[in-house]
Amino acid sequence: MVKPKSKITLLDGGMGQELLRRSSRKVTPMWSADIMLNEPTLVRDLHCEFIESGARVITLNTYTATPQRLKRENELAQLEHLHQAAMCAAQDAIDLSQRNDVAIAGSLPPLVASYHPEVSLSFEDSLESYRQLVQLQSPASDIFICETMSSVNEAKAACTAAKESGKPVWVAFSVSDSHPEQLRSGESLKEALAALETLAPEAILLNCSQPEAISACWPLMQASGAKIGAYANGFVSIDTLYPGDTVEALEMRNDLSPAHYAAHAMNWVDNGASIIGGCCEIGPAHIKALALKLQSEGLL
């Protein structure tokens, strides 16, 4: 049974692809971290646009600033600086917006590569790195999002570290586009939801998957006792992306206009979602369309 709709928490959209679109720099495997190092004003200004579009939670631009990714690119020495710069960019954007109702979410992403849990670390090693990221991001973070979690092991390690902060924790799973109701690891979403019950995150979401895949496994989400939500991507497919590649291999869909994306997201709202936003290729225009739709229904 779907609960009555209440006020919605609106997240921002995807930072990485939008930053690459605006940057004058060549795309590197460091992706958004390269822009954070070299063009921090772009990051601040994009945060500002998302806030102006209606987002009330903005996520730190630290997705690719993990110890493992930076070490692979011989940039591990930049770890602390990247997190400091990301926190400054988010805080400056909120100051410029002159709003007092915008929260900052810390980002706990896959440590090695998105969508490829087969290259992830053991639970113990993952936990150590996630604790390090939590410590780095805590000064500016109001909540933590464990995002694009593609296996149960990865999600449990990130959630465990985040819960130790004492701040609200959301866990967002990435599900298979071709086999909805499964994580990228092949583990069932049902199994993943059950595995998180003892950790009790404040919210469970689906992210960085096609909106159609998210909708297909929504009945399972509705059975969760936690708050639920989603923020989908706008990729045609993620099958061509491998660890260490650049994201130039990924193609944006041309059938996911702001209005079309808002229709998908409002379907999730109609079926119990209380947290929605966008992931890769979902920009400020999409968030604005979603905000206007939510406002028209008195949900924002």
Side-chain angles (χ1 to χ4, degrees):
M1 183 176 178
V2 178
K3 300 173 185 175
K5 287 186 281 187
S6 57
K7 293 289 185 180
I8 302 300
T9 300
L10 183 57
L11 310 179
D12 55 7
M15 293 290 290
Q17 298 296 103
E18 192 69 25
L19 287 169
L20 295 182
R21 198 169 287 118
R22 298 171 184 217
S23 174
S24 59
R25 295 181 60 76
K26 182 181 178 183
V27 178
T28 77
M30 283 180 66
W31 191 30
S32 54
D34 178 79
I35 296 170
M36 192 75 263
L37 278 176
N38 295 288
E39 299 174 297
T41 304
L42 285 184
V43 179
R44 182 202 66 191
D45 292 349
L46 181 53
H47 282 315
C48 284
E49 281 191 46
F50 277 124
I51 294 170
E52 289 169 10
S53 297
R56 293 299 171 258
V57 177
I58 58 172
T59 304
L60 292 178
N61 183 45
T62 56
Y63 189 90
T64 52
T66 69
Q68 289 74 20
R69 289 174 185 248
L70 294 177
K71 185 177 181 181
R72 185 171 65 211
E73 302 305 317
N74 297 312
E75 293 286 359
L76 185 57
Q78 298 286 359
L79 179 67
E80 187 170 344
H81 170 69
L82 279 165
H83 284 79
Q84 289 290 341
M87 291 189 288
C88 285
Q91 290 169 324
D92 287 350
I94 292 173
D95 289 343
L96 287 170
S97 76
Q98 297 185 313
R99 300 194 68 95
N100 61 6
D101 59 350
V102 179
I104 295 175
S107 171
L108 300 182
L111 295 167
V112 180
S114 299
Y115 320 127
H116 285 279
E118 73 278 4
V119 301
S120 62
L121 309 178
S122 68
F123 176 85
E124 292 77 13
D125 289 342
S126 296
L127 181 59
E128 181 181 354
S129 287
Y130 282 129
R131 282 174 170 158
Q132 186 179 13
L133 294 178
V134 167
Q135 184 177 20
L136 286 168
Q137 297 176 26
S138 277
S141 298
D142 299 297
I143 59 176
F144 279 100
I145 307 180
C146 311
E147 55 182 348
T148 322
M149 297 286 99
S150 296
S151 72
V152 172
N153 177 70
E154 192 171 59
K156 288 176 71 175
C159 187
T160 298
K163 291 287 282 189
E164 291 171 356
S165 72
K167 301 185 181 194
V169 177
W170 302 348
V171 176
F173 287 108
S174 181
V175 295
S176 167
D177 294 318
S178 56
H179 296 90
E181 302 185 11
Q182 286 184 4
L183 306 188
R184 304 282 184 188
S185 62
E187 297 165 295
S188 73
L189 176 59
K190 185 175 182 180
E191 177 185 345
L193 295 174
L196 287 186
E197 284 182 2
T198 55
L199 289 170
E202 278 73 10
I204 298 177
L205 303 92
L206 301 177
N207 88 298
C208 217
S209 310
Q210 292 179 350
E212 294 85 356
I214 287 174
S215 297
C217 47
W218 204 249
L220 278 174
M221 294 293 287
Q222 289 174 306
S224 168
K227 286 183 182 178
I228 56 174
Y231 52 115
N233 68 31
F235 289 138
V236 171
S237 171
I238 55 88
D239 292 344
T240 56
L241 188 66
Y242 291 93
D245 279 355
T246 69
V247 288
E248 287 179 301
L250 299 179
E251 180 184 353
M252 180 178 68
R253 287 171 61 164
N254 58 16
D255 63 344
L256 207 57
S257 68
H260 282 124
Y261 185 77
H264 281 292
M266 290 306 297
N267 180 53
W268 305 328
V269 170
D270 290 341
N271 287 281
S274 60
I275 304 166
I276 51 174
C279 206
C280 305
E281 300 292 7
I282 304 303
H286 294 83
I287 298 303
K288 185 172 183 178
L290 191 44
L292 291 172
K293 186 67 176 170
L294 290 168
Q295 287 167 352
S296 72
E297 298 196 15
L299 296 173
L300 198 61

